[in-house]
């Protein structure tokens, strides 16, 4: 059984944590962003043996990028969080959009939500349930 540990860190601990994990040859599993009552949180999940250690920064609006440490494994989720949730990753090239067309929805943090019924209707070829 895989273990999971959540560790709260500060913005200033993101880069040193990533550097330590990379030096220990730990894989970056994913970077997640999620919304709580206190604002956006960002979680950096690393594989440590058979376990996952999740280093979470609470109330994140602007964070340092770790793309220079973990390459595309960090760049893509950071760009995604920037585009969809409006979180700024300092030092990350965001001159082009990752998912959304350049001429769509000016501004940051454009979370697109499609109602489940509409997705089901499209999957069924437009038939009404």
């Amino acid at each position: 059984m895989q273990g999971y540990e959540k560790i709260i860190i500060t913005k200033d601990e993101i880069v040193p944590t990533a550097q330590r994990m990379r030096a220990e040859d730990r894989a970056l599993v994913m970077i997640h962003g999620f919304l709580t009552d206190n604002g956006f949180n960002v979680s950096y999940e690393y594989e440590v043996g058979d376990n996952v250690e999740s280093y979470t920064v609470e109330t994140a609006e602007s964070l340092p990028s770790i793309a220079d440490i973990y390459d595309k494994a960090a760049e893509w989720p950071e760009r995604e969080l920037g585009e969809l949730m409006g979180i700024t990753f300092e030092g990350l090239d965001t001159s082009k959009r990752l998912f959304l067309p350049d001429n769509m929805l000016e501004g940051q943090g454009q979370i697109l939500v499609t109602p489940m019924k509409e997705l089901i209707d499209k999957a069924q070829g437009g038939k009404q349930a």
Side-chain angles (χ1 to χ4, degrees):
M1 184 167 158
Q2 187 176 39
Y4 180 86
E5 182 178 4
K6 180 179 177 181
I7 303 159
I8 304 297
I9 62 171
T10 66
K11 172 183 176 175
D12 294 334
E13 294 173 291
I14 294 170
V15 170
T17 299
Q19 290 170 331
R20 178 175 54 85
M21 290 296 185
R22 187 64 182 219
E24 294 174 3
D25 203 28
R26 308 290 185 194
L28 175 66
V29 177
M30 181 46 83
I31 302 172
H32 298 281
F34 54 97
L35 184 62
T36 67
D37 292 339
N38 297 325
F40 289 116
N41 293 347
V42 175
S43 176
Y44 300 80
E45 297 186 352
Y46 298 93
E47 182 180 53
V48 179
D50 292 335
N51 300 314
V52 172
E53 289 184 3
S54 176
Y55 293 84
T56 301
V57 179
E58 297 177 328
T59 62
E61 293 179 16
S62 177
L63 302 173
S65 173
I66 61 167
D68 61 332
I69 301 167
Y70 273 97
D71 307 312
K72 297 293 182 195
E75 180 185 342
W76 277 72
E78 287 180 350
R79 286 182 62 194
E80 178 181 23
L81 290 173
E83 187 171 312
L84 299 177
M85 297 178 78
I87 299 170
T88 301
F89 288 90
E90 300 153 7
L92 183 66
D93 179 12
T94 58
S95 60
K96 293 184 180 178
R97 291 194 177 191
L98 186 61
F99 297 111
L100 302 178
D102 288 335
N103 62 351
M104 183 177 171
L105 301 174
E106 291 300 319
Q108 292 186 336
Q110 304 298 330
I111 298 174
L112 300 179
V113 179
T114 302
M116 184 60 75
K117 183 174 179 351
E118 185 178 325
L119 292 173
I120 292 169
D121 288 346
K122 283 183 183 180
Q124 294 175 344
K127 299 178 201 170
Q128 298 295 323

